């Protein structure tokens, strides 16, 4: 089968930067013309999503989880061999990767004064606390990364992601989004001695990738329009299920200490 998904391969320099820093910027990862189609699809899906405001995560951004299960365009992108090759190269030592989750994310403009949201204009989002992705996961190894694709132009003050370079080398640092004001920086003040990535201006079709142990976050959206992105998370295809309670995997019948052999976690082709 010919792979016609308009995704480019990663360069050696990009892979090396990721290994050193735990994150990397990937300019024009997806062809902008294709991103225009994805953006239209994303807006249709997000328009239909319920407005949840119950948790700190909901206050930071809105989401439409597992979008690739219902939309063939996002599924084809998540399973693009070029992305499978890139993830396999960045997660050194793995033989292949599975899709863990796909997501549409929307960070709507923050309303009112800095640090507040105007109750008369609901839907605005605040900052995304600095956190690691992995502490919640039911995998027995941390070889996992997320590709974050801009579906619109995302100037830095719209809330593009920032990363603490090298933080992926320090292992599990605990959970965030559990208590107000208790993020990775308040738990581990020494993180401030690491290099914080510069504010990134991204064009539609640009992406970043970050390791699941890399501490990252985002400022509030200070623009007048919504930040819109697609994310796909990949993990080691040989990882074993630990049985740790997790909403995505609870009730799927996965066997503890066995691989994630389930249609919800497809192996991504990466040959070619």
């Amino acid at each position: 089968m010919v792979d016609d998904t308009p995704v480019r391969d990663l360069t050696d320099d990009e892979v090396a930067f990721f290994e050193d820093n735990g994150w990397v910027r990937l300019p024009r990862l997806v062809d902008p013309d294709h991103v225009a189609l994805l953006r239209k699809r994303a807006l249709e899906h997000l328009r239909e999503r319920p407005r949840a405001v119950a948790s700190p995560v909901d206050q930071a951004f809105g989401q439409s989880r597992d979008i690739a299960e219902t939309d063939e365009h996002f599924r084809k992108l998540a399973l693009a061999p070029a992305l499978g090759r890139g993830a396999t190269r960045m997660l050194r030592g793995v033989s292949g990767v599975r899709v863990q989750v796909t997501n549409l994310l929307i960070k709507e403009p923050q309303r009112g004064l800095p640090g507040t949201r105007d109750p008369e204009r609901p839907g605005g989002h605040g900052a995304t606390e600095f956190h690691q992705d992995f502490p919640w996961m039911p995998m027995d190894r941390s070889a996992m990364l997320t590709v974050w694709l801009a579906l619109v132009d995302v100037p830095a003050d719209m809330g593009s992601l920032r990363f603490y370079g090298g933080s992926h080398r320090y292992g599990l640092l605990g959970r965030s989004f559990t208590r107000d004001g208790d993020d990775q920086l308040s738990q581990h003040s020494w993180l401030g001695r690491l290099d914080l990535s510069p504010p990134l201006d991204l064009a539609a079709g640009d992406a970043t990738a970050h390791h699941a142990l890399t501490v990252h976050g985002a400022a509030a959206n200070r623009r007048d329009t919504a930040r819109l992105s697609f994310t796909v998370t990949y993990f080691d295809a040989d990882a074993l299920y630990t049985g740790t309670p997790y909403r995505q995997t609870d009730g799927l019948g996965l066997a503890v200490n066995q691989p994630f052999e389930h249609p919800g976690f497809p192996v991504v082709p990466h040959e070619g």
Side-chain angles (χ1 to χ4, degrees):
M1 179 181 298
V2 176
D3 173 32
D4 59 356
T5 311
V7 182
R8 69 169 177 85
D9 278 297
L10 272 59
T11 68
D12 291 343
D13 286 345
E14 288 169 338
V15 173
F17 188 94
F18 179 90
E19 291 179 341
D20 288 342
N21 295 277
W23 71 277
V24 66
R25 179 177 183 168
L26 303 170
R28 203 178 173 94
L29 180 67
V30 180
D31 183 87
D33 289 340
H34 188 64
V35 171
L37 169 64
L38 298 176
R39 178 169 57 248
K40 179 177 183 295
R41 300 288 297 175
L43 289 171
E44 292 171 357
H45 288 290
L46 289 166
R47 197 174 295 123
E48 299 169 357
R49 87 188 196 283
R51 293 291 182 105
V53 293
S55 74
V57 174
D58 299 327
Q59 295 170 22
F61 52 81
Q63 56 186 320
S64 182
R65 286 178 64 88
D66 297 315
I67 187 64
E69 293 186 3
T70 58
D71 189 295
E72 62 177 330
H73 298 285
F74 289 106
R75 180 174 180 82
K76 188 173 182 180
L77 178 59
L79 295 175
L83 289 185
R85 286 191 293 272
T88 300
R89 292 172 64 198
M90 286 188 285
L91 296 175
R92 182 179 293 276
V94 307
S95 61
V97 295
R98 297 179 185 273
V99 173
Q100 185 257 329
V101 69
T102 58
N103 217 339
L104 293 177
L105 303 180
I106 185 169
K107 185 182 280 286
E108 294 169 347
Q110 189 177 51
R111 310 302 187 187
L113 298 173
T116 69
R117 290 194 303 282
D118 184 347
E120 299 302 319
R121 299 179 69 187
H125 294 113
T128 305
E129 295 180 349
F130 278 94
H131 64 284
Q132 292 176 312
D133 293 333
F134 192 74
W136 305 90
M137 299 296 172
M139 291 80 178
D140 73 334
R141 63 205 70 180
S142 60
M144 175 183 289
L145 61 80
T146 294
V147 175
W148 193 103
L149 174 69
L151 297 181
V152 296
D153 291 346
V154 179
D157 61 355
M158 188 180 271
S160 58
L161 295 184
R162 300 187 72 179
F163 313 91
Y164 277 94
S167 55
H168 62 308
R169 300 192 186 98
Y170 293 91
L172 290 172
L173 298 177
R175 294 177 173 181
S176 300
F177 298 113
T178 56
R179 295 170 293 189
D180 288 343
D182 188 20
D183 65 1
Q184 291 293 299
L185 298 182
S186 62
Q187 295 175 31
H188 306 286
S189 60
W190 56 265
L191 283 167
R193 298 196 296 269
L194 301 180
D195 290 333
L196 179 61
S197 64
L200 299 177
D201 295 319
L202 303 176
D206 291 353
T208 59
H210 65 270
H211 196 283
L213 292 178
T214 298
V215 176
H216 61 287
N221 181 357
R222 302 295 184 183
R223 292 288 177 125
D224 294 329
T225 57
R227 188 199 77 181
L228 187 63
S229 59
F230 168 72
T231 67
V232 53
T233 299
Y234 299 107
F235 68 105
D236 185 350
D238 295 326
L240 306 181
Y241 177 56
T242 64
T244 298
Y246 188 59
R247 183 171 62 178
Q248 184 192 19
T249 50
D250 293 346
L252 293 183
L254 296 171
V256 173
N257 295 329
Q258 295 297 317
F260 286 71
E261 298 292 351
H262 186 277
F265 307 100
V267 174
V268 184
H270 62 276
E271 301 299 330

mmCIF file of all heavy atoms in Angstrom, residues 100 130-139 141-142 144 167 170-178 184 187-188 210-216 242 244-246:
data_model
loop_
_atom_site.group_PDB
_atom_site.id
_atom_site.type_symbol
_atom_site.label_atom_id
_atom_site.label_comp_id
_atom_site.label_asym_id
_atom_site.label_seq_id
_atom_site.Cartn_x
_atom_site.Cartn_y
_atom_site.Cartn_z
ATOM 1 N N GLN A 100 -1.251 5.378 21.881
ATOM 2 C CA GLN A 100 -1.871 5.338 23.202
ATOM 3 C C GLN A 100 -3.181 6.124 23.212
ATOM 4 O O GLN A 100 -4.199 5.650 23.709
ATOM 5 C CB GLN A 100 -0.910 5.892 24.266
ATOM 6 C CG GLN A 100 -1.444 5.759 25.704
ATOM 7 C CD GLN A 100 -1.982 7.062 26.256
ATOM 8 O OE1 GLN A 100 -1.512 8.139 25.894
ATOM 9 N NE2 GLN A 100 -2.966 6.987 27.132
ATOM 10 N N PHE A 130 2.577 23.111 34.718
ATOM 11 C CA PHE A 130 3.720 22.293 34.325
ATOM 12 C C PHE A 130 3.575 20.899 34.936
ATOM 13 O O PHE A 130 3.316 20.748 36.133
ATOM 14 C CB PHE A 130 5.023 22.959 34.764
ATOM 15 C CG PHE A 130 5.471 24.027 33.812
ATOM 16 C CD1 PHE A 130 5.120 25.354 34.025
ATOM 17 C CD2 PHE A 130 6.212 23.691 32.685
ATOM 18 C CE1 PHE A 130 5.515 26.335 33.129
ATOM 19 C CE2 PHE A 130 6.610 24.661 31.778
ATOM 20 C CZ PHE A 130 6.264 25.994 32.006
ATOM 21 N N HIS A 131 3.761 19.906 34.083
ATOM 22 C CA HIS A 131 3.490 18.533 34.497
ATOM 23 C C HIS A 131 4.263 17.556 33.629
ATOM 24 O O HIS A 131 4.809 17.913 32.583
ATOM 25 C CB HIS A 131 1.994 18.229 34.378
ATOM 26 C CG HIS A 131 1.490 18.283 32.959
ATOM 27 N ND1 HIS A 131 1.263 19.472 32.286
ATOM 28 C CD2 HIS A 131 1.178 17.299 32.068
ATOM 29 C CE1 HIS A 131 0.833 19.220 31.065
ATOM 30 N NE2 HIS A 131 0.782 17.905 30.893
ATOM 31 N N GLN A 132 4.306 16.296 34.052
ATOM 32 C CA GLN A 132 4.724 15.171 33.219
ATOM 33 C C GLN A 132 3.477 14.408 32.807
ATOM 34 O O GLN A 132 2.468 14.386 33.533
ATOM 35 C CB GLN A 132 5.639 14.225 33.994
ATOM 36 C CG GLN A 132 7.002 14.767 34.367
ATOM 37 C CD GLN A 132 7.780 13.772 35.214
ATOM 38 O OE1 GLN A 132 7.270 13.221 36.192
ATOM 39 N NE2 GLN A 132 9.038 13.532 34.858
ATOM 40 N N ASP A 133 3.530 13.730 31.663
ATOM 41 C CA ASP A 133 2.386 12.937 31.206
ATOM 42 C C ASP A 133 2.349 11.533 31.808
ATOM 43 O O ASP A 133 1.277 10.945 31.950
ATOM 44 C CB ASP A 133 2.416 12.813 29.677
ATOM 45 C CG ASP A 133 2.187 14.127 28.968
ATOM 46 O OD1 ASP A 133 1.525 15.010 29.549
ATOM 47 O OD2 ASP A 133 2.687 14.276 27.833
ATOM 48 N N PHE A 134 3.514 10.998 32.168
ATOM 49 C CA PHE A 134 3.575 9.568 32.460
ATOM 50 C C PHE A 134 3.071 9.129 33.835
ATOM 51 O O PHE A 134 2.654 7.966 33.973
ATOM 52 C CB PHE A 134 5.001 9.034 32.274
ATOM 53 C CG PHE A 134 5.073 7.533 32.285
ATOM 54 C CD1 PHE A 134 4.636 6.796 31.196
ATOM 55 C CD2 PHE A 134 5.529 6.845 33.403
ATOM 56 C CE1 PHE A 134 4.661 5.420 31.207
ATOM 57 C CE2 PHE A 134 5.566 5.461 33.418
ATOM 58 C CZ PHE A 134 5.133 4.745 32.316
ATOM 59 N N PRO A 135 3.104 9.948 34.880
ATOM 60 C CA PRO A 135 2.765 9.423 36.211
ATOM 61 C C PRO A 135 1.411 8.744 36.334
ATOM 62 O O PRO A 135 1.190 7.968 37.264
ATOM 63 C CB PRO A 135 2.842 10.684 37.090
ATOM 64 C CG PRO A 135 3.890 11.507 36.455
ATOM 65 C CD PRO A 135 3.649 11.325 34.975
ATOM 66 N N TRP A 136 0.510 8.982 35.411
ATOM 67 C CA TRP A 136 -0.809 8.352 35.478
ATOM 68 C C TRP A 136 -0.882 7.018 34.733
ATOM 69 O O TRP A 136 -1.873 6.286 34.869
ATOM 70 C CB TRP A 136 -1.848 9.299 34.866
ATOM 71 C CG TRP A 136 -1.871 10.649 35.467
ATOM 72 C CD1 TRP A 136 -1.152 11.744 35.077
ATOM 73 C CD2 TRP A 136 -2.629 11.070 36.595
ATOM 74 N NE1 TRP A 136 -1.426 12.821 35.887
ATOM 75 C CE2 TRP A 136 -2.332 12.430 36.835
ATOM 76 C CE3 TRP A 136 -3.543 10.428 37.443
ATOM 77 C CZ2 TRP A 136 -2.905 13.167 37.862
ATOM 78 C CZ3 TRP A 136 -4.117 11.164 38.459
ATOM 79 C CH2 TRP A 136 -3.798 12.507 38.670
ATOM 80 N N MET A 137 0.123 6.681 33.960
ATOM 81 C CA MET A 137 -0.026 5.642 32.950
ATOM 82 C C MET A 137 0.106 4.214 33.491
ATOM 83 O O MET A 137 0.864 3.965 34.428
ATOM 84 C CB MET A 137 1.002 5.841 31.836
ATOM 85 C CG MET A 137 0.858 7.157 31.098
ATOM 86 S SD MET A 137 -0.729 7.240 30.233
ATOM 87 C CE MET A 137 -0.705 8.954 29.694
ATOM 88 N N PRO A 138 -0.589 3.243 32.863
ATOM 89 C CA PRO A 138 -0.536 1.840 33.299
ATOM 90 C C PRO A 138 0.439 0.993 32.490
ATOM 91 O O PRO A 138 0.198 -0.194 32.268
ATOM 92 C CB PRO A 138 -1.982 1.381 33.088
ATOM 93 C CG PRO A 138 -2.412 2.113 31.854
ATOM 94 C CD PRO A 138 -1.726 3.464 31.926
ATOM 95 N N MET A 139 1.527 1.596 32.025
ATOM 96 C CA MET A 139 2.556 0.872 31.280
ATOM 97 C C MET A 139 3.741 0.595 32.199
ATOM 98 O O MET A 139 3.991 1.347 33.143
ATOM 99 C CB MET A 139 3.037 1.670 30.063
ATOM 100 C CG MET A 139 2.022 1.804 28.952
ATOM 101 S SD MET A 139 0.811 3.109 29.341
ATOM 102 C CE MET A 139 -0.209 3.072 27.850
ATOM 103 N N ARG A 141 6.896 0.718 31.418
ATOM 104 C CA ARG A 141 8.098 1.440 30.989
ATOM 105 C C ARG A 141 7.670 2.796 30.449
ATOM 106 O O ARG A 141 6.541 2.963 29.969
ATOM 107 C CB ARG A 141 8.877 0.646 29.948
ATOM 108 C CG ARG A 141 8.134 0.384 28.647
ATOM 109 C CD ARG A 141 8.640 -0.847 27.918
ATOM 110 N NE ARG A 141 8.285 -2.067 28.633
ATOM 111 C CZ ARG A 141 8.603 -3.293 28.229
ATOM 112 N NH1 ARG A 141 9.299 -3.456 27.109
ATOM 113 N NH2 ARG A 141 8.240 -4.351 28.934
ATOM 114 N N SER A 142 8.583 3.746 30.531
ATOM 115 C CA SER A 142 8.226 5.136 30.239
ATOM 116 C C SER A 142 8.602 5.583 28.837
ATOM 117 O O SER A 142 8.605 6.789 28.563
ATOM 118 C CB SER A 142 8.890 6.067 31.264
ATOM 119 O OG SER A 142 10.300 5.930 31.220
ATOM 120 N N MET A 144 7.640 6.744 25.917
ATOM 121 C CA MET A 144 6.371 7.308 25.439
ATOM 122 C C MET A 144 6.619 8.753 25.059
ATOM 123 O O MET A 144 7.407 9.449 25.708
ATOM 124 C CB MET A 144 5.311 7.212 26.542
ATOM 125 C CG MET A 144 3.987 7.856 26.214
ATOM 126 S SD MET A 144 2.814 7.771 27.609
ATOM 127 C CE MET A 144 2.422 6.019 27.597
ATOM 128 N N SER A 167 14.598 17.463 31.542
ATOM 129 C CA SER A 167 13.833 16.984 32.697
ATOM 130 C C SER A 167 13.412 15.522 32.551
ATOM 131 O O SER A 167 13.100 14.865 33.546
ATOM 132 C CB SER A 167 12.605 17.865 32.936
ATOM 133 O OG SER A 167 11.789 17.961 31.789
ATOM 134 N N TYR A 170 15.140 12.686 34.793
ATOM 135 C CA TYR A 170 15.016 12.640 36.246
ATOM 136 C C TYR A 170 13.909 11.710 36.742
ATOM 137 O O TYR A 170 13.579 11.710 37.929
ATOM 138 C CB TYR A 170 14.814 14.053 36.793
ATOM 139 C CG TYR A 170 16.037 14.913 36.596
ATOM 140 C CD1 TYR A 170 16.187 15.678 35.441
ATOM 141 C CD2 TYR A 170 17.061 14.931 37.526
ATOM 142 C CE1 TYR A 170 17.315 16.453 35.228
ATOM 143 C CE2 TYR A 170 18.199 15.705 37.331
ATOM 144 C CZ TYR A 170 18.319 16.463 36.181
ATOM 145 O OH TYR A 170 19.445 17.222 35.981
ATOM 146 N N GLY A 171 13.339 10.904 35.848
ATOM 147 C CA GLY A 171 12.347 9.913 36.268
ATOM 148 C C GLY A 171 11.015 10.522 36.632
ATOM 149 O O GLY A 171 10.708 11.688 36.321
ATOM 150 N N LEU A 172 10.196 9.742 37.317
ATOM 151 C CA LEU A 172 8.861 10.190 37.707
ATOM 152 C C LEU A 172 8.959 11.241 38.797
ATOM 153 O O LEU A 172 9.576 11.008 39.843
ATOM 154 C CB LEU A 172 8.034 9.007 38.207
ATOM 155 C CG LEU A 172 7.612 7.975 37.161
ATOM 156 C CD1 LEU A 172 6.968 6.778 37.838
ATOM 157 C CD2 LEU A 172 6.641 8.597 36.181
ATOM 158 N N LEU A 173 8.297 12.365 38.586
ATOM 159 C CA LEU A 173 8.353 13.473 39.539
ATOM 160 C C LEU A 173 7.022 13.703 40.245
ATOM 161 O O LEU A 173 6.876 14.664 40.998
ATOM 162 C CB LEU A 173 8.787 14.756 38.821
ATOM 163 C CG LEU A 173 10.184 14.713 38.198
ATOM 164 C CD1 LEU A 173 10.474 16.014 37.462
ATOM 165 C CD2 LEU A 173 11.247 14.449 39.260
ATOM 166 N N GLY A 174 6.051 12.823 40.013
ATOM 167 C CA GLY A 174 4.766 12.947 40.695
ATOM 168 C C GLY A 174 3.681 13.502 39.790
ATOM 169 O O GLY A 174 3.925 13.979 38.694
ATOM 170 N N ARG A 175 2.463 13.458 40.319
ATOM 171 C CA ARG A 175 1.295 13.883 39.556
ATOM 172 C C ARG A 175 0.990 15.358 39.758
ATOM 173 O O ARG A 175 1.148 15.894 40.853
ATOM 174 C CB ARG A 175 0.070 13.060 39.969
ATOM 175 C CG ARG A 175 0.184 11.584 39.607
ATOM 176 C CD ARG A 175 -1.017 10.800 40.103
ATOM 177 N NE ARG A 175 -0.969 9.419 39.611
ATOM 178 C CZ ARG A 175 -1.897 8.511 39.879
ATOM 179 N NH1 ARG A 175 -2.928 8.825 40.640
ATOM 180 N NH2 ARG A 175 -1.783 7.288 39.397
ATOM 181 N N SER A 176 0.540 15.996 38.687
ATOM 182 C CA SER A 176 0.011 17.354 38.743
ATOM 183 C C SER A 176 -1.493 17.274 38.503
ATOM 184 O O SER A 176 -2.059 16.194 38.359
ATOM 185 C CB SER A 176 0.689 18.237 37.695
ATOM 186 O OG SER A 176 2.084 18.299 37.904
ATOM 187 N N PHE A 177 -2.134 18.430 38.450
ATOM 188 C CA PHE A 177 -3.589 18.508 38.241
ATOM 189 C C PHE A 177 -4.367 17.795 39.351
ATOM 190 O O PHE A 177 -5.481 17.322 39.127
ATOM 191 C CB PHE A 177 -3.995 17.910 36.877
ATOM 192 C CG PHE A 177 -3.405 18.626 35.704
ATOM 193 C CD1 PHE A 177 -2.475 17.989 34.898
ATOM 194 C CD2 PHE A 177 -3.770 19.919 35.388
ATOM 195 C CE1 PHE A 177 -1.922 18.638 33.800
ATOM 196 C CE2 PHE A 177 -3.216 20.578 34.302
ATOM 197 C CZ PHE A 177 -2.295 19.934 33.505
ATOM 198 N N THR A 178 -3.793 17.682 40.529
ATOM 199 C CA THR A 178 -4.499 17.019 41.631
ATOM 200 C C THR A 178 -4.912 17.991 42.726
ATOM 201 O O THR A 178 -5.918 17.783 43.395
ATOM 202 C CB THR A 178 -3.621 15.919 42.263
ATOM 203 O OG1 THR A 178 -2.387 16.495 42.692
ATOM 204 C CG2 THR A 178 -3.347 14.813 41.246
ATOM 205 N N GLN A 184 4.449 20.821 38.986
ATOM 206 C CA GLN A 184 5.800 20.297 39.127
ATOM 207 C C GLN A 184 6.782 21.342 39.668
ATOM 208 O O GLN A 184 7.715 21.005 40.394
ATOM 209 C CB GLN A 184 6.302 19.792 37.769
ATOM 210 C CG GLN A 184 5.581 18.553 37.273
ATOM 211 C CD GLN A 184 5.868 17.343 38.132
ATOM 212 O OE1 GLN A 184 7.008 16.926 38.250
ATOM 213 N NE2 GLN A 184 4.830 16.780 38.723
ATOM 214 N N GLN A 187 6.428 21.568 43.432
ATOM 215 C CA GLN A 187 6.910 20.339 44.067
ATOM 216 C C GLN A 187 8.429 20.221 43.985
ATOM 217 O O GLN A 187 9.061 19.661 44.876
ATOM 218 C CB GLN A 187 6.274 19.120 43.398
ATOM 219 C CG GLN A 187 4.769 19.010 43.564
ATOM 220 C CD GLN A 187 4.200 17.837 42.773
ATOM 221 O OE1 GLN A 187 4.848 16.813 42.579
ATOM 222 N NE2 GLN A 187 2.978 17.987 42.295
ATOM 223 N N HIS A 188 9.011 20.716 42.894
ATOM 224 C CA HIS A 188 10.448 20.529 42.626
ATOM 225 C C HIS A 188 11.042 21.858 42.168
ATOM 226 O O HIS A 188 11.187 22.097 40.961
ATOM 227 C CB HIS A 188 10.661 19.454 41.565
ATOM 228 C CG HIS A 188 10.008 18.151 41.883
ATOM 229 N ND1 HIS A 188 10.491 17.283 42.834
ATOM 230 C CD2 HIS A 188 8.876 17.569 41.371
ATOM 231 C CE1 HIS A 188 9.710 16.211 42.898
ATOM 232 N NE2 HIS A 188 8.728 16.364 42.025
ATOM 233 N N HIS A 210 7.338 15.728 22.582
ATOM 234 C CA HIS A 210 7.957 15.722 23.900
ATOM 235 C C HIS A 210 7.807 14.349 24.543
ATOM 236 O O HIS A 210 6.809 13.653 24.347
ATOM 237 C CB HIS A 210 7.371 16.812 24.810
ATOM 238 C CG HIS A 210 5.919 16.628 25.146
ATOM 239 N ND1 HIS A 210 4.907 17.160 24.373
ATOM 240 C CD2 HIS A 210 5.304 15.978 26.168
ATOM 241 C CE1 HIS A 210 3.741 16.859 24.906
ATOM 242 N NE2 HIS A 210 3.946 16.132 26.002
ATOM 243 N N HIS A 211 8.826 13.978 25.316
ATOM 244 C CA HIS A 211 8.833 12.713 26.043
ATOM 245 C C HIS A 211 7.815 12.787 27.174
ATOM 246 O O HIS A 211 7.536 13.850 27.725
ATOM 247 C CB HIS A 211 10.233 12.453 26.596
ATOM 248 C CG HIS A 211 10.465 11.054 27.031
ATOM 249 N ND1 HIS A 211 9.976 10.544 28.226
ATOM 250 C CD2 HIS A 211 11.151 10.029 26.444
ATOM 251 C CE1 HIS A 211 10.351 9.283 28.357
ATOM 252 N NE2 HIS A 211 11.046 8.935 27.285
ATOM 253 N N ALA A 212 7.260 11.640 27.542
ATOM 254 C CA ALA A 212 6.241 11.590 28.592
ATOM 255 C C ALA A 212 6.792 11.925 29.968
ATOM 256 O O ALA A 212 6.018 12.157 30.901
ATOM 257 C CB ALA A 212 5.583 10.213 28.616
ATOM 258 N N LEU A 213 8.137 11.972 30.118
ATOM 259 C CA LEU A 213 8.745 12.388 31.375
ATOM 260 C C LEU A 213 9.224 13.843 31.338
ATOM 261 O O LEU A 213 9.729 14.349 32.345
ATOM 262 C CB LEU A 213 9.926 11.474 31.729
ATOM 263 C CG LEU A 213 9.581 10.031 32.084
ATOM 264 C CD1 LEU A 213 10.853 9.238 32.364
ATOM 265 C CD2 LEU A 213 8.647 9.970 33.288
ATOM 266 N N THR A 214 9.069 14.506 30.215
ATOM 267 C CA THR A 214 9.499 15.901 30.098
ATOM 268 C C THR A 214 8.473 16.814 30.756
ATOM 269 O O THR A 214 7.275 16.743 30.446
ATOM 270 C CB THR A 214 9.675 16.287 28.621
ATOM 271 O OG1 THR A 214 10.688 15.465 28.046
ATOM 272 C CG2 THR A 214 10.075 17.747 28.488
ATOM 273 N N VAL A 215 8.931 17.662 31.646
ATOM 274 C CA VAL A 215 8.049 18.616 32.308
ATOM 275 C C VAL A 215 7.695 19.720 31.307
ATOM 276 O O VAL A 215 8.583 20.354 30.731
ATOM 277 C CB VAL A 215 8.722 19.206 33.559
ATOM 278 C CG1 VAL A 215 7.833 20.284 34.184
ATOM 279 C CG2 VAL A 215 9.015 18.099 34.576
ATOM 280 N N HIS A 216 6.404 19.938 31.113
ATOM 281 C CA HIS A 216 5.956 20.918 30.124
ATOM 282 C C HIS A 216 4.661 21.573 30.591
ATOM 283 O O HIS A 216 3.951 21.044 31.450
ATOM 284 C CB HIS A 216 5.752 20.257 28.753
ATOM 285 C CG HIS A 216 4.706 19.175 28.761
ATOM 286 N ND1 HIS A 216 4.913 17.934 29.340
ATOM 287 C CD2 HIS A 216 3.441 19.158 28.277
ATOM 288 C CE1 HIS A 216 3.838 17.199 29.197
ATOM 289 N NE2 HIS A 216 2.922 17.921 28.568
ATOM 290 N N THR A 242 0.287 -2.898 33.500
ATOM 291 C CA THR A 242 0.542 -3.084 34.935
ATOM 292 C C THR A 242 -0.718 -3.300 35.747
ATOM 293 O O THR A 242 -0.645 -3.747 36.896
ATOM 294 C CB THR A 242 1.271 -1.863 35.514
ATOM 295 O OG1 THR A 242 0.410 -0.716 35.422
ATOM 296 C CG2 THR A 242 2.578 -1.600 34.769
ATOM 297 N N THR A 244 -2.563 -0.776 36.700
ATOM 298 C CA THR A 244 -2.829 0.477 37.406
ATOM 299 C C THR A 244 -4.170 1.054 36.947
ATOM 300 O O THR A 244 -4.425 1.136 35.749
ATOM 301 C CB THR A 244 -1.712 1.499 37.115
ATOM 302 O OG1 THR A 244 -0.476 0.973 37.604
ATOM 303 C CG2 THR A 244 -1.999 2.839 37.776
ATOM 304 N N PRO A 245 -5.048 1.425 37.883
ATOM 305 C CA PRO A 245 -6.340 1.994 37.473
ATOM 306 C C PRO A 245 -6.153 3.220 36.578
ATOM 307 O O PRO A 245 -5.383 4.121 36.894
ATOM 308 C CB PRO A 245 -6.990 2.385 38.811
ATOM 309 C CG PRO A 245 -6.372 1.473 39.813
ATOM 310 C CD PRO A 245 -4.951 1.303 39.357
ATOM 311 N N TYR A 246 -6.847 3.213 35.456
ATOM 312 C CA TYR A 246 -6.748 4.305 34.485
ATOM 313 C C TYR A 246 -8.003 4.247 33.636
ATOM 314 O O TYR A 246 -8.345 3.186 33.092
ATOM 315 C CB TYR A 246 -5.487 4.138 33.631
ATOM 316 C CG TYR A 246 -5.165 5.300 32.720
ATOM 317 C CD1 TYR A 246 -4.957 6.574 33.228
ATOM 318 C CD2 TYR A 246 -5.057 5.117 31.342
ATOM 319 C CE1 TYR A 246 -4.642 7.641 32.407
ATOM 320 C CE2 TYR A 246 -4.740 6.177 30.501
ATOM 321 C CZ TYR A 246 -4.540 7.433 31.035
ATOM 322 O OH TYR A 246 -4.226 8.486 30.211
#
